[in-house]
Amino acid sequence: MEKKKNDQLTLAWPQESDWCDETDFWGQMNGILASFPVVTAEVLPGLKWGYHYQLYTPAFWKLQYLLNDFPVQESNHQLCDNLIEEIIMCLLGGYGIPSEMGIMAFDRLKQEGLISRKADHDSILDALSRPFVGKSNKPVRYRFANQKAGYIYHFLNREDLCDIPSHNDLALRKWLMGLRGIGPKTASWITRNWLHSERVAILDIHILRAGILTGFFAKELNVSNDYYHLEYQYLNFCKGIEVLPSNMDAIIWSYMKKNNKLALNILSSTS
């Protein structure tokens, strides 16, 4: 805190009640770091553990993982109360659509009773086309309203919604891949959320960039053409540093999104 004295600003020594004893924290931290392999140990062939204080090394990601608190319950990634809603929520998200926008669109469809076989295409389209109230109370529009309305209407009117293989992760993903508007990333996203699967990975541009910077993805690969190969490499990386893939991708995605410019600068300087 600063106190004014004789027209000058001086720093006030913090009161004892404001002090924070970090002894336990650093004791735990030292214990964690002592358990890490030596920096030259290989996580995967050719990929060394590295230093925990160096960005994007396997050691760095393992430390981020251990410093995060995850809910004990299995449903920590689940977004909705039932699988039909989960699929629609994820359909409304995806490339070019901020997560906040997808949530607002889903909430409107649900509030207006349009997550139902009785809902007609025009009503779904109208709900997605009307402006939403965004940040600072400014009107914002949902992108791809016509396309997404078609996907949702077609999905809600399938005859096999009672036969979704909802108890097997790989079977569920395969079924989801048969839906309009769903590719491997969205199918994996729904599968991970609903069945808490550790056999699938949600790979997008943020995870791809992290994998390239860390060294478990090759630069020439991309999620459009090499999804399952990248998934295999990502799962192997998680196995190598002994973390759950579902939680690790959430940590990587969040970190890379917040530090997007830094990642882009590093990638451009090394290309």
Side-chain angles (χ1 to χ4, degrees):
M1 294 179 64
E2 293 182 335
K3 289 185 178 179
K4 198 168 184 180
K5 183 178 181 181
N6 297 328
D7 297 323
Q8 292 183 339
L9 290 176
T10 59
L11 291 176
W13 190 257
Q15 300 297 312
E16 185 173 352
S17 59
D18 297 328
W19 294 355
C20 178
D21 187 353
E22 297 180 349
T23 304
D24 288 343
F25 171 80
W26 287 110
Q28 293 175 16
M29 177 67 75
N30 289 332
I32 290 172
L33 297 177
S35 71
F36 279 19
V38 294
V39 297
T40 55
E42 288 194 337
V43 175
L44 297 171
L47 178 60
K48 295 181 179 180
W49 185 258
Y51 295 98
H52 69 274
Y53 52 78
Q54 184 177 349
L55 288 176
Y56 309 123
T57 63
F60 171 82
W61 289 124
K62 180 61 180 276
L63 183 59
Q64 302 309 304
Y65 183 92
L66 294 174
L67 292 177
N68 271 268
D69 292 325
F70 297 103
V72 175
Q73 69 269 26
E74 288 187 336
S75 61
N76 58 309
H77 296 293
Q78 194 172 309
L79 301 173
C80 301
D81 295 329
N82 61 69
L83 182 54
I84 300 299
E85 290 187 354
E86 191 83 23
I87 292 171
I88 290 177
M89 172 71 88
C90 294
L91 265 173
L92 288 166
Y95 181 77
I97 302 174
S99 56
E100 299 83 3
M101 188 76 251
I103 292 171
M104 286 193 293
F106 174 84
D107 288 343
R108 178 178 288 176
L109 291 182
K110 187 169 183 178
Q111 290 165 7
E112 297 185 8
L114 296 175
I115 302 179
S116 165
R117 188 182 291 271
K118 298 177 182 179
D120 61 85
H121 176 273
D122 289 346
S123 297
I124 297 172
L125 176 58
D126 176 69
L128 295 179
S129 300
R130 299 196 308 270
F132 293 83
V133 179
K135 294 179 180 178
S136 303
N137 291 321
K138 293 182 178 180
V140 292
R141 291 190 175 276
Y142 179 82
R143 297 181 67 189
F144 316 122
N146 188 56
Q147 182 185 61
K148 297 286 187 172
Y151 292 158
I152 292 170
Y153 175 76
H154 183 267
F155 166 65
L156 289 172
N157 283 276
R158 287 180 65 104
E159 297 296 331
D160 60 348
L161 293 186
C162 293
D163 301 315
I164 302 175
S166 58
H167 300 292
N168 180 284
D169 54 358
L170 298 184
L172 174 59
R173 182 166 72 170
K174 183 178 179 180
W175 185 90
L176 290 166
M177 289 286 291
L179 300 180
R180 293 182 185 178
I182 289 187
K185 176 196 165 186
T186 302
S188 300
W189 183 19
I190 297 166
T191 300
R192 192 282 305 273
N193 288 2
W194 196 252
L195 293 179
H196 330 298
S197 175
E198 302 299 342
R199 297 198 293 172
V200 302
I202 308 167
L203 306 178
D204 68 356
I205 190 61
H206 296 300
I207 307 297
L208 182 66
R209 288 170 181 162
I212 293 171
L213 289 168
T214 301
F216 59 86
F217 287 160
K219 290 183 179 180
E220 63 271 13
L221 300 179
N222 64 75
V223 292
S224 297
N225 300 322
D226 308 295
Y227 194 94
Y228 297 110
H229 181 57
L230 289 167
E231 179 180 68
Y232 176 79
Q233 292 180 319
Y234 170 75
L235 295 176
N236 274 347
F237 171 72
C238 291
K239 182 179 180 181
I241 63 172
E242 299 181 343
V243 298
L244 291 177
S246 60
N247 289 337
M248 190 73 254
D249 79 47
I251 290 172
I252 293 176
W253 184 87
S254 177
Y255 184 90
M256 296 299 289
K257 184 179 181 182
K258 292 176 183 176
N259 298 278
N260 186 48
K261 289 184 178 180
L262 173 62
L264 289 174
N265 288 337
I266 296 174
L267 285 168
S268 64
S269 67
T270 57
S271 59

